[in-house]
Amino acid sequence: MDRRYFIANWKSHFTTAEAGVFLESLKGRIGEINSERDVIILCPSFTLLDYCSRKIKELNLPICLGAQNNSSNEDGAFTGEVSARQIKEFVSYVIIGHSERRRDQHETDDDVRSKIDQAKRVGLSVIQCIQEENSFVSEEADIVAFEPPSAISTFGTGVPDNPVEVERVLSVVGDRVNGKTLIYGGSVNPETIKGYADIAHCSGFLVGSASLDASTFLSLPLSC
Ligand code: PGA
């Protein structure tokens, strides 16, 4: 059975109390998911990782935890940075190279390379975001998320990319990075997801806005 990934990118949303409400309401319906096939990964802010990892264990939820970034440096004198080793205490995955970081923090391909090196050194699985078919893809990335900036709801038009175009790009990227898991992201919600569910090379979704409500997020795997 082919695995499908549903990755929630919470961005800078939620306090611990709000994350608790989300996880409690996930508990109610998570049994409807085929957890042999569907991998659910929540990626909260650093401030929530400890709390969420405890709460996921307490509620016995069949989901994984990821971070949204890690430092390009090891542990050390880097004020305000969070190293890969520090987040590895709580998570198994990390998103690296998101378009918002490239735009707002001016992250470059070199930064992305260094961050991925740090993540892999401590054994994290890397979800690398790419923006177009010719974007640099690290040999070390585990999951490659194609997210055209214009399709990201908070960034561009809020209109998902045409599934035919997504299929074409994933096929081009798939030829370049043989064997990696490819997913799509950009304005995926319970209505739009159906258009992507069956496209070749697409093994899941990176979800922003539609991941902020537990019921909406859970309805993604349930509606495709
Ligand atoms: P969106 O965000 O689903 O709200 O478009 C996706 C992302 O930024 O990863």
Side-chain angles (χ1 to χ4, degrees), residues 58-168:
E58 177 196 315
L59 296 173
N60 199 21
L61 296 174
I63 64 177
C64 307
L65 209 51
Q68 298 169 19
N69 181 36
N70 60 250
S71 174
S72 51
N73 298 298
E74 294 177 30
D75 299 13
F78 304 104
T79 302
E81 291 294 297
V82 182
S83 73
R85 199 176 76 92
Q86 289 177 298
I87 64 171
K88 178 70 170 66
E89 221 182 335
F90 308 110
V91 309
S92 348
Y93 292 88
V94 61
I95 299 170
I96 296 181
H98 192 278
S99 290
E100 285 158 7
R101 297 200 58 82
R102 287 181 177 269
R103 179 192 61 182
D104 302 332
Q105 274 70 43
H106 311 292
E107 259 182 27
T108 62
D109 285 352
D110 282 345
D111 297 325
V112 169
R113 269 190 197 92
S114 306
K115 289 178 181 213
I116 293 177
D117 284 349
Q118 292 297 329
K120 295 309 291 185
R121 273 166 48 101
V122 299
L124 289 169
S125 294
V126 168
I127 303 154
Q128 185 193 346
C129 297
I130 64 166
Q131 288 68 40
E132 41 116 1
E133 66 191 85
N134 297 316
S135 296
F136 137 78
V137 179
S138 167
E139 281 183 11
E140 296 183 289
D142 299 279
I143 297 175
V144 178
F146 168 52
E147 290 203 310
S150 63
I152 295 176
S153 67
T154 49
F155 205 93
T157 57
V159 177
D161 218 25
N162 182 333
V164 175
E165 175 62 3
V166 172
E167 181 157 22
R168 187 191 69 73

Side-chain angles (χ1 to χ4, degrees), residues 7-9 11 95 98-100 129 145 147-149 151-155 158 184-189 206-211:
I7 305 175
N9 177 7
K11 308 189 180 181
I95 299 170
H98 192 278
S99 290
E100 285 158 7
C129 297
E147 290 203 310
I152 295 176
S153 67
T154 49
F155 205 93
Y184 167 73
S187 299
V188 173
N189 62 41
L206 181 55
V207 186
S209 308
S211 73

